[in-house]
Amino acid sequence: PNAPHWNTIAQSTLFGIAAFLGIQFTTETLRTYRFFPTTHRILQTLSALYLAIVIGLALSLKINLPTERLYQGLFLLGLTTPLVVIGVCIRNIRHKIKSAYYFLAAWGFMCIGAFTSAARSFDILPSNGLTLYAFQIGSGFELVLFSLALAYRVRQEREKREQAQA
């Protein structure tokens, strides 16, 4: 009750932090720094933009900043980031990096959940138990598939190490 402005920016701020960390996870998991340096720089730029918006929203607690512009920037980044990440996944798949299949499927589930939630909020889809929790359900499947992708990568690394030792 003593922080009404925080209440208005909290969700967007936390979304920005999650997106920033998600891009860091993406670059690590898909090893963009190693295989695709140009794409890595694009993802790092998106990551920096998310961080700048988060800082702007945090500063708006103390100074009068136009948060509408920050929300618009966050919305535009939220539209472009999944497209870039899907492009990176497809590029990795073309280069026969198998963990990218899991990663692409995970992002697909998350995107389906997000689009379903957005469609429900704009009354395009009816509100029911499935559409109400579509984002959480999609995120749950995303988590399971990310875990599988990580397990696959760990197994590959272990097999390479065992081959090197043999």
Side-chain angles (χ1 to χ4, degrees):
N2 296 333
H5 184 63
W6 170 247
N7 190 42
T8 60
I9 67 165
Q11 184 176 11
S12 297
T13 303
L14 295 173
F15 173 77
I17 292 169
F20 168 79
L21 294 172
I23 291 173
Q24 298 307 311
F25 178 77
T26 300
T27 59
E28 250 331 284
T29 304
L30 297 179
R31 300 178 187 174
T32 58
Y33 57 90
R34 182 174 169 196
F35 298 114
F36 311 111
T38 304
T39 305
H40 182 72
R41 284 190 292 278
I42 292 169
L43 286 169
Q44 291 304 319
T45 301
L46 289 172
S47 184
L49 290 170
Y50 275 114
L51 193 57
I53 288 172
V54 165
I55 291 169
L57 287 170
L59 286 174
S60 75
L61 291 169
K62 298 291 181 190
I63 352 174
N64 189 13
L65 289 176
T67 55
E68 297 81 27
R69 296 284 185 217
L70 295 171
Y71 293 141
Q72 289 171 348
L74 193 61
F75 178 74
L76 286 173
L77 284 174
L79 289 175
T80 55
T81 301
L83 298 175
V84 172
V85 170
I86 288 170
V88 171
C89 288
I90 291 170
R91 195 171 184 189
N92 279 14
I93 289 169
R94 285 186 183 158
H95 286 86
K96 310 287 187 225
I97 299 171
K98 297 207 187 265
S99 62
Y101 288 104
Y102 292 111
F103 201 89
L104 181 61
W107 264 88
F109 275 111
M110 192 273 304
C111 287
I112 289 169
F115 291 137
T116 302
S117 292
R120 185 197 61 81
S121 69
F122 288 111
D123 291 328
I124 296 170
L125 290 176
S127 199
N128 58 41
L130 183 62
T131 59
L132 187 62
Y133 295 106
F135 188 73
Q136 290 85 346
I137 293 167
S139 293
F141 281 117
E142 178 189 31
L143 178 66
V144 169
L145 288 169
F146 278 155
S147 298
L148 290 173
L150 223 57
Y152 181 80
R153 185 171 165 189
V154 167
R155 192 180 95 219
Q156 276 186 318
E157 295 294 327
R158 186 181 316 134
E159 287 173 359
K160 284 180 185 177
R161 189 181 45 204
E162 287 172 357
Q163 286 175 353
Q165 288 176 348

